[in-house]
């Protein structure tokens, strides 16, 4: 059976090469074909890596290698067993892993499937969404007067601060942030660092400011927020445990008693607009890029027409 498959593949490959030699333009379709196959393999591996199917794939790869070796070494009995298993085992695998296969098929065309190939929304929009999620969590913490300290990393990296805490590497969600700061839990005491649109670390230790001009009513969290904003370009959001008021520290300055709408505006201004520009600026850039692409297309058409006339 294996020899017949090998012969058939050899014949198909030889005929394909002969077709490429007769029509070199088919190289373009070959490149597209290879790119699509690589995307499918990458997407399938990314989709199955965190499921039971990944262990199955490794097992199948082992069996295929064993089957090839048994054929090369002329181990006929072992080769017959492995070949028979590969023939009928596919049906058994479909039955065993039916839920995983159904879930994968359901994701075709969905947003999850587009994420599988890295086709996600722009970083600008994602940063905006993350800010809204943080604001929701901060407002909830303020209602219950739960102390919290959240630091947004910007251009200056905070790796030394991140290493003082517990690694999280979690997606940003209001539920996760609220749960982190629940009193008497392992991670509630310290700061949460948000970096690269993720909750990178929790229970981090921040440097405290030693300025004597700061009001005596401010606690350790506020002093830590001012300290990190003074030593870096990070922005820190604080929820007071005593009053439930929200404050923002930036460039060594503390803005106290910030309301929800103001909190959104400040964070979007310094984390989105400062980095990506306003909506109008983004639209202008996209229009300019579109016009440049149209001009390039027109130039290419003119050149191609000129070449045809010469011919």
């Amino acid at each position: 059976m294996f020899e017949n498959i090998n012969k058939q593949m050899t014949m198909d490959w030889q005929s394909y090469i002969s077709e490429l030699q007769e029509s070199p333009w088919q190289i373009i379709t070959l490149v597209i074909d290879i790119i699509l196959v690589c995307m499918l393999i990458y997407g399938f591996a990314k989709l199955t890596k965190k499921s039971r199917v990944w262990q199955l794939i490794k097992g199948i790869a082992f069996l295929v290698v064993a089957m090839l070796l048994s054929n090369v070494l002329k181990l006929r009995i072992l080769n017959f067993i492995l070949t028979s298993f590969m023939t009928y085992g596919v049906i058994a695998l479909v039955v065993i892993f039916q839920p995983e296969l159904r879930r994968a098929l359901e994701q075709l065309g969905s947003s999850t499937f587009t994420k599988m190939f890295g086709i996600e929304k722009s970083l600008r929009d994602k940063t905006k969404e993350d800010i809204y999620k943080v604001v929701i969590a901060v407002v909830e913490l303020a209602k219950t007067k739960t102390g919290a300290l959240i630091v947004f990393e910007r251009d200056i990296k905070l790796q030394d601060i991140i290493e003082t805490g517990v690694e999280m590497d979690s997606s940003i969600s209001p539920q996760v942030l609220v749960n982190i700061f629940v009193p008497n839990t392992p991670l509630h005491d310290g700061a949460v660092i948000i970096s690269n649109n993720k909750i990178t670390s929790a229970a981090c230790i921040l440097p405290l400011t030693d300025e004597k001009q700061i009001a005596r009513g401010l606690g350790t969290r506020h002093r830590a927020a001012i300290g990190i904003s003074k030593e870096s370009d990070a922005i820190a959001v604080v929820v007071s445990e005593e009053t439930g008021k929200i404050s923002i520290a930036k460039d060594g300055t503390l803005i106290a008693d910030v309301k929800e709408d103001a909190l959104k505006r400040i964070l979007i201004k310094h984390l989105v607009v400062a980095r990506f520009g306003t909506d109008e600026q983004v639209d202008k850039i996209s229009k300019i890029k579109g016009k440049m692409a149209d001009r390039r297309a027109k130039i290419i058409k003119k050149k191609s027409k000129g070449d045809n006339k010469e011919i």
Side-chain angles (χ1 to χ4, degrees):
M1 179 184 175
F2 180 75
E3 291 177 357
N4 293 332
I5 294 172
N6 192 22
K7 287 179 182 178
Q8 185 65 36
M9 288 178 65
T10 304
M11 292 174 62
D12 292 342
W13 182 246
Q14 287 175 350
S15 63
Y16 191 57
I17 291 174
S18 62
E19 288 179 6
L20 286 175
Q21 290 174 345
E22 292 174 1
S23 178
W25 288 106
Q26 288 193 2
I27 295 174
I28 297 173
T29 59
L30 174 62
V31 173
I32 295 171
D33 194 8
I34 292 171
I35 291 171
L36 290 174
V37 170
C38 291
M39 286 178 66
L40 285 172
I41 293 172
Y42 169 76
F44 181 74
K46 191 175 180 181
L47 187 68
T48 59
K49 197 166 185 180
K50 295 182 179 179
S51 66
R52 293 189 301 160
V53 180
W54 184 250
Q55 301 300 323
L56 170 67
I57 292 170
K58 291 194 287 186
I60 292 173
F62 175 78
L63 289 175
V64 170
V65 172
M67 187 175 68
L68 293 172
L69 288 174
S70 65
N71 184 64
V72 172
L73 299 173
K74 305 297 181 183
L75 304 175
R76 299 186 184 279
I77 299 174
L78 180 61
N79 184 258
F80 173 76
I81 294 171
L82 292 174
T83 305
S84 301
F85 178 80
M86 293 295 289
T87 304
Y88 301 104
V90 175
I91 300 172
L93 292 174
V94 170
V95 175
I96 294 169
F97 290 94
Q98 184 259 345
E100 282 80 3
L101 293 172
R102 186 180 66 228
R103 194 179 303 117
L105 291 172
E106 286 173 352
Q107 289 176 347
L108 286 171
S110 67
S111 59
T112 306
F113 187 72
T114 57
K115 287 180 182 178
M116 186 174 73
F117 294 106
I119 307 170
E120 297 185 34
K121 60 188 70 177
S122 68
L123 185 59
R124 185 176 186 274
D125 293 337
K126 192 174 187 310
T127 305
K128 259 188 177 182
E129 284 188 8
D130 290 340
I131 289 172
Y132 295 148
K133 290 175 184 177
V134 172
V135 171
I136 291 170
V138 168
V139 171
E140 287 299 316
L141 292 166
K143 288 178 182 177
T144 57
K145 293 186 179 181
T146 303
L149 177 54
I150 301 171
V151 178
F152 290 89
E153 181 188 71
R154 295 209 290 171
D155 295 331
I156 298 175
K157 301 303 176 185
L158 304 174
Q159 189 58 40
D160 55 335
I161 303 295
I162 291 170
E163 290 174 355
T164 63
V166 178
E167 185 179 353
M168 295 280 293
D169 194 30
S170 167
S171 298
I172 298 172
S173 74
Q175 295 83 359
V176 172
L177 289 169
V178 170
N179 285 336
I180 287 173
F181 292 108
V182 171
N184 302 320
T185 55
L187 301 178
H188 86 284
D189 194 14
V192 163
I193 307 295
I194 293 179
S195 173
N196 297 323
N197 299 90
K198 283 197 170 186
I199 301 173
T200 308
S201 188
C204 297
I205 301 171
L206 304 185
L208 300 178
T209 182
D210 55 356
E211 288 188 13
K212 297 179 180 179
Q213 297 177 353
I214 297 173
R216 293 181 180 179
L218 298 180
T220 306
R221 286 192 182 90
H222 294 83
R223 292 179 178 274
I226 296 170
I228 192 65
S229 68
K230 197 173 182 180
E231 293 191 8
S232 68
D233 62 349
I235 295 176
V237 179
V238 189
V239 177
S240 173
E241 191 172 347
E242 288 76 22
T243 62
K245 292 181 179 179
I246 303 167
S247 303
I248 296 180
K250 181 186 176 294
D251 298 329
T253 303
L254 187 73
I255 306 172
D257 196 9
V258 179
K259 303 303 179 185
E260 182 178 352
D261 291 338
L263 178 63
K264 285 181 186 176
R265 286 198 303 270
I266 294 170
L267 291 177
I268 288 173
K269 177 183 177 182
H270 295 291
L271 298 175
V272 178
V273 176
R275 182 179 177 187
F276 303 102
T278 61
D279 293 333
E280 291 78 10
Q281 289 171 338
V282 172
D283 291 338
K284 283 182 182 178
I285 292 169
S286 62
K287 286 179 182 178
I288 291 169
K289 286 182 178 179
K291 288 180 181 178
M292 290 176 67
D294 292 338
R295 287 177 184 175
R296 286 173 187 168
K298 288 179 182 178
I299 292 168
I300 291 169
K301 284 182 181 179
K302 286 181 181 179
K303 285 185 178 179
S304 61
K305 286 180 181 178
D307 293 339
N308 291 332
K309 287 179 181 179
E310 289 177 3
I311 292 169

